[in-house]
């Protein structure tokens, strides 16, 4: 039946291996999408991490800078004021500019100032942000380089060293003259006031001419009365500290350095220094007095530095504010403003986004171009085919969907070209086949019209023969056209094969006897039913008749044409084979593939010496395929041919004893039995 062909096609399609995902178009698109998405995600994650980390560092830096500014400002206030009574204005301005809560308390947490107001009930943290003490500076918030030295005393805490206005004016006049002298000789310098009000010279450039500098600053201003008084007080406090530690006193200078000579050591100090030197330098049995003095000097320097620091704190205690606890951003504090992207971070985001977009577009364009290029080639070839032009084969790429599409398109183009060539040949053959009977009919009619031929019975018989031949050709073409478009009307039913073969043999017995050919049908073995097939009896008889007619025409006088039927396949119940064999001249091996082509004949001269239009075998093939069967031929040149039709069997009519039927039929079908009709 015709439904079997789509099933066979589906089985063939299922048999083809599917493409692996990595080589398919879908797989390639997925890979490209994953790569683009991965790049975008990675870039976004990197940008988020970098931006967030930078923002956090920037925010932390801003907080630390703000804390340091608040601490340093309050530290400067404490260094220049003996108490915290008037700190409110300074602290409130700091809270306003920093948008943070600032709280100052004494060391026992008695409130001194709260920027949130006296009504605030928010508790303070357990630990203060810093301790504001100008005599013990926090080097985390204020670098050690900004303090007076290792004693961690704020340089702004000068106490009794602060100069009155008259002394400042006098020192400023001297310093201005020195700067004017330096400027006149080309040395750039300026006057800067120190924390105590004493002016000092600051050189603009680091490289100066020492001779010129000495010439201009030779008149060095000494300590004023205020500074001498404060320095004597500090020296007294330091000497008292050194005496308590068993050291000699030292003479302090205005810059808080001190003077001491090597020879000023006692016998006890010398003995102690020699003992320390012997432990440090065991290779020297008797250390020199100079090394001993140097050791004593180093020990005294540490003691003097410690005592000077203690003396300064004692001297400055009444001139600076007492230590206070500083709290910044405690509970209930003014909230820090929201995080905003800086212009640099915004530019980075825009730049990375543009880069990802450019990469995505670039990869998409490259991948799309590679995928679309073969489709463009297929489109161009299809358009050329539509315009009736010959198109070159489309290049076949890798074994993927597009590669297979290109291969299928090339096969279709080749098949179309072959069909077009067959169409042209068929049109030529149809014109040739129709021209001959029409020419004969026209010739005889014109002869009768001109009085050259009498319309006798022989004349009428000749015209009728040509008309019948023309009708046969037209009917055959009509049957082929209906079969091609699937419009062939079929009425299948169970058919007894032997009965149908007998009818066909009886119909062609006359032409066979005229040609001197013996026509016979092989009968089934006695006691066994003949095969029954499921087909349209009219169309099946037409197909067998074409085979018998063709065999009789091609069998010489004295030859034989035999018809037989038998079951084939497992259990002899799948198909029924109908054979028409002859003992004619046979078909050359090169011509066998073309015997079912339309208008094909072994005689290329078209002289129709054997009769026929060349459509009979083509119709046989179409009728067999329309009923779900096949048609084939086996031929040996010089010995004859065997044409076989295989059609579906009517299973209900299968023999009950399949083993007996198989033994009766035999492996080569039933034995031929002559039935001369």
């Amino acid at each position: 039946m015709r439904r079997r062909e789509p099933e066979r096609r589906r089985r063939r399609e299922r048999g083809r291996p599917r493409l692996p995902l990595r080589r398919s178009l879908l797989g390639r698109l997925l890979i490209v999408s994953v790569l683009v998405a991965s790049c975008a995600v990675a870039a976004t994650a990197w940008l988020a991490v970098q931006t967030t980390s930078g923002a956090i560092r920037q925010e932390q830096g801003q907080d630390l800078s703000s804390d340091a500014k608040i601490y340093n400002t309050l530290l400067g206030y404490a260094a220049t004021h003996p108490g915290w009574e008037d700190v409110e204005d300074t602290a409130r301005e700091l809270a306003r500019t920093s948008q943070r809560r600032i709280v100052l308390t004494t060391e026992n947490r008695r409130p001194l100032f709260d920027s949130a107001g006296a009504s605030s009930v928010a508790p303070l943290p357990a630990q203060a942000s810093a301790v504001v003490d100008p005599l013990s500076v926090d080097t985390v918030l204020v670098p050690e380089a900004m303090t007076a030295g290792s004693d961690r005393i704020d340089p702004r805490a000068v106490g009794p060293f602060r100069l009155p206005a008259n002394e400042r004016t006098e020192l400023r006049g001297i310093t201005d003259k020195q700067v004017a002298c330096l400027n006149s000789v080309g040395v750039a310098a300026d006057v800067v006031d120190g924390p105590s009000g004493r002016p000092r010279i600051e050189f603009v450039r680091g490289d100066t001419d020492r001779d010129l500098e000495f010439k201009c600053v030779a008149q060095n201003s000494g300590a004023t009365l205020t500074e001498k008084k404060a320095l004597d007080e500090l020296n007294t406090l330091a000497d008292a500290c050194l005496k308590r530690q068993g050291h000699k006193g030292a003479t302090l200078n205005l810059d808080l350095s001190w003077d001491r000579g090597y020879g000023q050591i006692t016998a006890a100090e010398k003995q102690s220094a020699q003992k320390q030197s012997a432990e440090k330098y065991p290779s020297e049995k008797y250390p020199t007095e100079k090394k001993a003095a140097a050791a004593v000097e180093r020990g005294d320097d540490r003691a003097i530095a410690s005592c000077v620091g203690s003396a300064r704190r004692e001297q400055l205690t009444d001139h600076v504010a007492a230590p206070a606890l500083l709290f910044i951003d405690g509970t209930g504090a003014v909230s820090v403003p929201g995080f905003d992207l800086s212009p640099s971070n915004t530019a980075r985001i825009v730049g990375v986004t543009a880069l990802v977009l450019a990469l995505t577009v670039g990869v998409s364009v490259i991948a799309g171009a590679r995928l679309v290029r073969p489709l463009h080639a297929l489109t161009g070839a299809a358009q050329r085919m539509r315009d009736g032009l010959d198109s070159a084969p489309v290049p076949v790429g890798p074994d993927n969907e597009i590669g297979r599409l290109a291969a299928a398109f090339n096969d279709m183009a080749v098949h179309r070209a072959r069909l077009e060539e067959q169409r042209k040949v068929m049109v030529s053959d149809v014109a040739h086949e129709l021209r001959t009977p029409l020419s004969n009919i026209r010739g005889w009619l014109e002869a009768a019209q001109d009085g050259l031929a009498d319309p006798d019975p022989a004349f009428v018989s000749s015209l009728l023969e040509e008309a019948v031949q023309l009708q046969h050709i037209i009917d055959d073409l009509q049957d082929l056209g209906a079969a091609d478009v699937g419009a062939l009307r079929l009425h299948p039913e169970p058919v007894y094969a032997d009965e149908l073969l007998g009818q066909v043999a009886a119909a062609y017995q006359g032409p066979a006897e005229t040609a001197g050919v013996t026509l016979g049908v092989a009968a089934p073995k006695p006691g066994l039913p003949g095969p029954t097939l499921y087909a349209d009896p009219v169309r099946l008889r037409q197909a067998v008749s074409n085979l018998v007619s063709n065999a009789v025409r091609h069998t010489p006088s004295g030859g034989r044409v035999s018809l037989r039927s038998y079951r084939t396949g497992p259990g002899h119940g799948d198909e029924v084979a109908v054979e028409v064999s002859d003992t004619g001249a046979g078909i050359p091996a090169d011509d066998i593939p073309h015997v079912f082509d339309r208008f094909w004949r072994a005689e290329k001269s078209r002289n129709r010496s054997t009769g026929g239009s060349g459509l009979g075998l083509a119709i046989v093939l179409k009728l067999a395929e329309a009923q779900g069967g096949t048609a084939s031929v086996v031929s040996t040149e010089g010995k004859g041919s065997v044409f076989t039709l295989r059609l579906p069997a009517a299973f209900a009519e299968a023999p009950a004893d399949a083993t007996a039927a198989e033994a009766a039929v035999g492996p080569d079908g039933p034995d031929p039995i002559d039935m001369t009709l």
Side-chain angles (χ1 to χ4, degrees), residues 451-639:
L452 300 177
D454 295 331
D456 53 10
F459 175 83
V460 175
S461 177
S462 177
L463 291 180
L464 180 59
E465 181 181 353
E466 296 295 338
V468 169
Q469 179 66 23
L470 186 60
Q471 183 66 42
H472 282 329
I473 295 175
I474 293 174
D475 291 342
D476 290 345
L477 290 174
Q478 185 177 5
D479 290 341
L480 285 175
D484 287 338
V485 299
L488 196 62
R489 294 184 179 180
L490 298 174
H491 302 282
E493 61 183 44
V495 178
Y496 294 101
D498 292 339
E499 181 180 346
L500 184 140
L501 294 181
Q503 295 174 357
V504 174
Y508 280 90
Q509 187 64 35
E513 292 179 353
T514 302
V517 176
T518 301
L519 178 61
V521 178
K525 293 293 180 69
L528 292 175
T532 304
L533 50 84
Y534 192 75
D536 187 322
V538 176
R539 294 299 183 182
L540 179 58
R541 179 171 179 174
Q542 179 183 0
V544 176
S545 297
N546 285 351
L547 292 177
V548 172
S549 175
N550 186 70
V552 169
R553 286 199 307 270
H554 290 83
T555 302
S557 179
R560 180 183 181 84
V561 176
S562 300
L563 286 74
R564 70 168 180 167
S565 64
Y566 56 91
R567 286 186 175 87
T568 64
H572 303 288
D574 189 18
E575 290 180 333
V576 174
V578 177
E579 284 187 359
V580 177
S581 60
D582 62 67
T583 58
I587 304 172
D590 294 339
D591 293 339
I592 289 179
H594 305 288
V595 295
F596 291 103
D597 292 347
R598 302 175 186 183
F599 296 107
W600 182 89
R601 286 197 301 266
E603 299 177 40
K604 303 300 188 295
S605 60
R606 299 179 184 267
N607 57 12
R608 297 172 62 196
S609 61
T610 58
S613 62
L615 296 175
L617 294 180
I619 292 177
V620 170
L621 178 62
K622 286 295 182 180
L623 292 177
E625 291 178 347
Q627 300 182 84
T630 60
S632 61
V633 59
V634 177
S635 180
T636 303
E637 192 172 4
K639 294 184 179 181

Side-chain angles (χ1 to χ4, degrees), residues 239-319:
D239 287 344
C241 175
L242 289 171
K243 185 177 181 180
R244 286 193 300 271
Q245 297 181 12
H247 295 279
K248 290 185 176 182
T251 302
L252 298 180
N253 300 318
L254 188 60
D255 58 356
L256 300 184
S257 61
W258 55 85
D259 297 328
R260 182 183 176 106
Y262 286 115
Q264 301 175 0
I265 59 176
T266 64
E269 290 175 338
K270 181 178 180 180
Q271 183 179 2
S272 175
Q274 287 176 343
K275 182 179 179 181
Q276 294 176 4
S277 298
E279 294 175 355
K280 187 173 182 181
Y281 305 102
S283 60
E284 297 184 12
K285 189 173 182 179
Y286 301 105
T288 62
E289 185 177 346
K290 184 175 181 181
K291 286 186 177 180
V296 175
E297 185 82 12
R298 287 192 297 270
D300 286 348
D301 286 343
R302 288 193 293 270
I304 293 172
S306 176
C307 287
V308 170
S310 299
R312 289 191 65 200
R313 291 186 181 88
E314 185 178 355
Q315 184 186 36
L316 294 173
T317 300
D318 296 335
H319 300 275

